[in-house]
Amino acid sequence: MQASMNVRHTDRSSLIIRVISYVFIALLAICCLLPFVLIVATSLTSEASIIKNGFNLWPKEFSTYAYKIVFENPDLIVGSYIVTLGITVVGTAAGLFLVAMTGYALQRPDFHFRNKISFFIYFTTLFSGGIVPFYLLITQYLHLKDNYLAVLLPGLLSPFLIIMMKSFTQSIPHAITESAKIDGAGDFTIFTRLILPMSTPALATIGLFIALGYWNEWYNSMLFLSPDMKYRPLQLFLYNVVTSADFIRNSAAASNVPLRDVPLESMKMATAVVATGPVILFYSFVQRYFIQGITVGAVKG
């Protein structure tokens, strides 16, 4: 009888904990979802309604005028999408391979220079050369002005991602590498045929970080890609669209033109929707690896 009561008490406690957990997670999900719903709703609201009623979770005056302005030059925005997609795909593939190789090499106990190289990598997380030396390096020494490589190359390696990959590969037993060496496999064969297939969670997580970095990149594009280039990355293109709308709105205010005819607020939200849509689709494919890739390497002390 006592055992049966204990089991019921345990089941009831477990049920209460589950209900509280589900309610908490649901509230947290709603808090994360509401800002995006607000962005979409605002992008579909007329500027006059925003000025009059403020921001709402549902459009009071439905309007697609902001998207019409954003897609006013479809050739330019499609070209910007293609440029950004190309840089993201190539940069993510190359950066993922380089980060994986670097992290794997730095955790190998038989690599004699790993501590010295690790020191130089860690040092860059504390100090940097600054914007001026970086600009001179890209433009004067590498001669990459108005070249997409000026956007691609700086994002290939990240100290944080190298540290993450190193921590993850440390959880892979070194005996696997030793066994492969005994069987006659070379270092590159071990890396490509053993380490990479076993590092799928870390690769998915690191790949997501690299892809997001390239997709959201606009600063290097602004520095090294001049306005003379017809197609520039998407984020910079959308930034210029919003900046132009802001300039038009200020000019309209100076000319006593009604401000409601310039959809600045809804245009900002429309550009956010255009920029984040593909990222949400990409994240849905790698989300199952995301938490595992971050936490597995952290378990090892």
Side-chain angles (χ1 to χ4, degrees):
M1 179 68 70
Q2 185 67 28
S4 177
M5 292 178 63
N6 291 334
V7 171
R8 290 180 181 178
H9 180 72
T10 302
D11 293 340
R12 184 177 300 176
S13 301
S14 177
L15 179 61
I16 294 174
I17 293 175
R18 286 186 178 182
V19 171
I20 294 175
S21 301
Y22 289 150
V23 171
F24 177 76
I25 293 175
L27 292 176
L28 185 62
I30 292 174
C31 292
C32 295
L33 186 62
L34 282 179
F36 186 74
V37 174
L38 181 64
I39 290 174
V40 176
T42 305
S43 68
L44 296 172
T45 305
S46 65
E47 190 73 9
S49 177
I50 295 175
I51 296 174
K52 180 181 179 181
N53 304 312
F55 298 98
N56 296 280
L57 294 176
W58 186 261
K60 290 190 175 182
E61 293 184 13
F62 185 82
S63 174
T64 59
Y65 186 48
Y67 288 97
K68 180 180 178 181
I69 294 179
V70 172
F71 290 97
E72 187 175 3
N73 296 314
D75 179 59
L76 293 179
I77 196 168
V78 170
S80 297
Y81 254 112
I82 294 175
V83 168
T84 299
L85 185 63
I87 292 176
T88 301
V89 171
V90 175
T92 301
L96 192 59
F97 190 71
L98 293 176
V99 169
M101 282 199 301
T102 306
Y104 170 66
L106 292 179
Q107 64 84 34
R108 286 279 295 267
D110 54 346
F111 181 42
H112 300 294
F113 301 102
R114 61 174 183 157
N115 292 330
K116 295 180 180 179
I117 296 177
S118 297
F119 169 76
F120 286 111
I121 293 175
Y122 299 152
F123 185 81
T124 60
T125 63
L126 304 175
F127 303 97
S128 65
I131 297 177
V132 174
F134 176 60
Y135 183 84
L136 293 177
L137 172 66
I138 297 296
T139 58
Q140 301 299 323
Y141 292 92
L142 299 180
H143 303 289
L144 295 178
K145 181 70 174 177
D146 292 338
N147 193 317
Y148 293 128
L149 289 177
V151 181
L152 179 68
L153 294 181
L156 288 178
L157 289 172
S158 168
F160 170 72
L161 299 181
I162 292 174
I163 295 171
M164 181 184 294
M165 189 66 195
K166 176 184 175 182
S167 299
F168 183 88
T169 51
Q170 282 178 339
S171 63
I172 300 176
H174 186 63
I176 295 178
T177 302
E178 295 296 332
S179 300
K181 279 190 173 183
I182 293 175
D183 293 337
D187 290 329
F188 193 75
T189 301
I190 295 173
F191 173 71
T192 55
R193 295 191 178 184
L194 294 178
I195 302 302
L196 287 183
M198 298 175 65
S199 304
T200 302
L203 294 176
T205 304
I206 293 173
L208 178 62
F209 281 130
I210 297 176
L212 286 177
Y214 278 116
W215 187 266
N216 294 324
E217 207 292 313
W218 66 274
Y219 186 71
N220 289 340
S221 303
M222 182 183 65
L223 286 179
F224 305 119
L225 303 181
S226 65
D228 296 334
M229 298 186 66
K230 184 177 181 180
Y231 300 118
R232 295 195 287 176
L234 179 66
Q235 302 294 343
L236 183 59
F237 173 78
L238 297 177
Y239 171 79
N240 290 333
V241 169
V242 174
T243 304
S244 300
D246 197 5
F247 174 77
I248 294 172
R249 184 171 186 176
N250 293 333
S251 301
S255 304
N256 295 323
V257 177
L259 298 181
R260 65 184 61 191
D261 296 335
V262 184
L264 181 59
E265 298 300 329
S266 56
M267 188 184 300
K268 290 179 181 178
M269 301 304 179
T271 57
V273 173
V274 171
T276 57
V279 176
I280 295 176
L281 295 177
F282 176 74
Y283 178 75
S284 62
F285 290 101
V286 299
Q287 62 175 340
R288 59 176 178 170
Y289 301 110
F290 190 74
I291 301 298
Q292 184 180 357
I294 291 179
T295 58
V296 169
V299 174
K300 191 174 181 64

